[in-house]
Amino acid sequence: MALLVLKFGGTSVADVDRIRNAASHVKREVDAGHACAVVVSAMAGHTNQLVALVEQAWGFKERRKQNGAEVSAQYDGSEYDAVVSSGEQVTSGLLALVLQSLGMRARSWQGWQIPLKTDSAHRAARITGVAVDELKARMLEGEVAVVAGFQGIAPGNRISTLGRGGSDTSAVALAAALSADRCDIYTDVDGVYTTDPRVVPKAHRLDKISYEEMLEMASQGAKVLQTRSVELAMQKGVRVLVRSSFEPADLGGKGTDAAEGLGTLVCHEDEIVEQNVVSGIAYARDEAKVTLLKIADKPGVAAQVFCPLAEANINVDMIVQNVSDDGRHTDLTFTVQSADLDRALEVLRKAKESIGYLDLRGSTDIAKVSAIGVGMRSHAGVAAQMFSALAEKGINIEAISTSEIKISVLIDAAYAELAVRTLHSLFGLDSR
Ligand code: ASP
Ligand code: MG
């Protein structure tokens, strides 16, 4: 017998038929003798509708016209949470009912009932503890625990939510607290791919990927798992299997096992025997480039640029500063999320006096393409290979950033797909 956490995302519980389908996956595991907890998201699109209702109630649009985006967003986070957490309450009850209708013992659990405790950072709360004693005892007696994802209880007994996509994190936290054997994330794709299959038809599903690689892939735009859930899984050593809920539930009487070639197991790198140098190519088009021309080349200028951005809560990703020609002036280029570009430009225009620059430019016609792999730690020359291959295709690199297991380049958006295809085959990832 194993202890399993199964998590179903919004598209996997989008209507009652889909909930029935999810239930048949649960039934397979229960029939195989496993003790199961199930974490559910809200029905696809439901959370967006709830967010829209909150904004309507607050008069968000009118306020934005009057006060700008930042001021208008300042509604009461705990009431936002009270509203948007309700989507998961619905699906947890419905799934428990469907499981009961199939003859299983099942009980729904809201965050406060477990309790899954969080801090008081409403709308993006962090989990501080999960009390699983009662839940676990019942699971071991054969009752399926159906847990509403995304929600918890904050100090002061107020409902909290964990940030968009947060039910992945609920599932991993629950798996850690239960010391579960595995956390199965059921979604609408059958795993994690070497790159986006819509861009590279030769992309293939990875059987296994390390936590660190998955973190890079997730933050690079491969939106399979909430980043925080991967961090938590890595920290607690939870093995996470990403798989599709749309594959047949019937596995000939057997429970699931990653070894059967289903899905992608996110695990510690030691568990991965055959390791490529590069495991995947990620790309993101949602970044924008900001360039400051002719700023003074002296101590303190970078701080004068980035402090006001930090104060405005704008995240900066890649940064390049040119070598100065005359020893007095230089150019500075960096990237921000596209959604933050207008605000970033506004902040920098306001700070023009204190920074002192000749001109300010912003552009969204860029893409970031990254090669990711833990094998890079022990292999030299990956960057050289990558840059040569891009040069051969005539692709100009505007900025570079690296970590121990990742090389990212900033390029003209028009070349994004060519760059992804080129690197995918360069590093031997095209499926044969
Ligand atoms: N329902 C929430 C959302 O849409 C949480 C989740 O699905 O993970 O963000
Ligand atoms: Mg999700």
Side-chain angles (χ1 to χ4, degrees):
M1 186 204 73
L3 224 144
L4 298 178
V5 173
L6 290 74
K7 183 255 167 179
F8 292 90
T11 49
S12 302
V13 293
D15 53 38
V16 173
D17 281 338
R18 296 259 175 98
I19 292 176
R20 285 218 167 84
N21 174 65
S24 59
H25 285 281
V26 179
K27 186 167 186 330
R28 179 194 60 237
E29 306 298 349
V30 170
D31 288 348
H34 302 317
C36 297
V38 188
V39 175
V40 286
S41 289
M43 292 175 170
H46 196 179
T47 310
N48 288 344
Q49 287 168 16
L50 294 167
V51 172
L53 286 176
V54 168
E55 294 187 346
Q56 204 186 332
W58 179 243
F60 187 79
K61 276 194 197 134
E62 298 74 28
R63 280 169 196 266
R64 183 154 58 184
K65 266 190 218 130
Q66 281 168 12
N67 308 320
E70 246 163 287
V71 180
S72 52
Q74 285 167 6
Y75 43 71
D76 185 329
S78 77
E79 297 311 338
Y80 165 100
D81 285 346
V83 177
V84 302
S85 61
S86 63
E88 276 72 9
Q89 175 159 349
V90 173
T91 45
S92 60
L94 291 176
L95 178 58
L97 278 170
V98 171
L99 292 171
Q100 289 173 4
S101 78
L102 294 171
M104 280 172 272
R105 286 166 59 205
R107 192 46 81 210
S108 69
W109 297 80
Q110 307 309 302
W112 62 269
Q113 288 171 311
I114 297 176
L116 185 148
K117 291 192 176 159
T118 72
D119 63 15
S120 49
H122 285 281
R123 306 177 64 187
R126 283 192 172 266
I127 298 173
T128 52
V130 193
V132 288
D133 287 354
E134 189 186 344
L135 209 81
K136 192 169 181 174
R138 291 187 184 212
M139 284 167 65
L140 293 172
E141 283 168 12
E143 185 175 286
V144 178
V146 185
V147 173
F150 183 48
Q151 51 163 278
I153 180 100
N157 267 349
R158 306 306 312 180
I159 293 173
S160 53
T161 63
L162 309 177
R164 297 305 304 271
S167 33
D168 294 333
T169 303
S170 309
V172 170
L174 187 63
L178 287 166
S179 308
D181 295 276
R182 214 175 54 229
C183 180
D184 292 350
I185 305 275
Y186 286 81
T187 177
D188 50 8
V189 293
D190 66 349
V192 181
Y193 276 68
T194 48
T195 194
D196 185 344
R198 286 167 305 185
V199 174
V200 184
K202 286 177 177 168
H204 65 273
R205 183 174 52 77
L206 293 159
D207 284 333
K208 292 181 178 177
I209 186 169
S210 69
Y211 296 119
E212 278 183 288
E213 290 168 329
M214 189 62 206
L215 274 177
E216 295 289 2
M217 296 286 264
S219 57
Q220 299 292 320
K223 310 231 154 52
V224 195
L225 293 175
Q226 196 196 33
T227 304
R228 207 183 266 182
S229 72
V230 185
E231 283 166 0
L232 190 63
M234 176 158 84
Q235 196 189 334
K236 306 271 186 186
V238 176
R239 299 164 78 241
V240 174
L241 179 66
V242 178
R243 52 163 307 185
S244 166
S245 65
F246 301 124
E247 276 170 4
D250 184 8
L251 295 169
K254 286 177 287 185
T256 2
D257 192 327
E260 292 174 54
L262 284 169
T264 299
L265 185 71
V266 189
C267 59
H268 195 278
E269 62 182 89
D270 292 350
E271 246 194 87
I272 306 175
V273 187
E274 257 180 70
Q275 186 74 64
N276 279 327
V277 177
V278 170
S279 304
I281 309 295
Y283 72 98
R285 291 174 192 275
D286 54 357
E287 286 192 30
K289 179 177 74 169
V290 177
T291 302
L292 289 162
L293 291 169
K294 274 201 178 274
I295 56 169
D297 191 11
K298 64 171 195 214
V301 175
Q304 244 140 13
V305 173
F306 294 113
C307 290
L309 292 170
E311 269 160 36
N313 236 326
I314 296 171
N315 264 326
V316 173
D317 181 24
M318 301 169 116
I319 302 175
V320 207
Q321 182 174 325
N322 291 352
V323 176
S324 104
D325 269 344
D326 55 4
R328 289 177 21 234
H329 294 100
T330 181
D331 302 336
L332 183 72
T333 297
F334 58 88
T335 62
V336 296
Q337 288 292 304
S338 298
D340 288 336
L341 177 63
D342 289 343
R343 278 203 307 130
L345 294 176
E346 203 181 301
V347 166
L348 294 171
R349 261 182 227 119
K350 276 193 195 138
K352 181 165 186 182
E353 294 261 305
S354 59
I355 303 170
Y357 54 81
L358 182 70
D359 200 6
L360 170 66
R361 290 180 193 160
S363 150
T364 51
D365 286 336
I366 52 150
K368 185 172 73 171
V369 178
S370 310
I372 294 156
V374 289
M376 278 183 209
R377 283 202 203 103
S378 48
H379 276 79
V382 180
Q385 255 180 298
M386 177 165 167
F387 302 155
S388 309
L390 294 173
E392 244 168 61
K393 301 282 180 190
I395 301 173
N396 187 40
I397 300 172
E398 299 184 30
I400 300 167
S401 73
T402 63
S403 79
E404 230 190 350
I405 67 160
K406 181 190 73 174
I407 303 166
S408 302
V409 294
L410 195 68
I411 60 171
D412 188 326
Y415 293 105
E417 302 198 348
L418 177 62
V420 172
R421 279 200 304 272
T422 302
L423 299 179
H424 196 267
S425 64
L426 172 72
F427 292 115
L429 298 174
D430 289 353
S431 57
R432 272 137 282 176

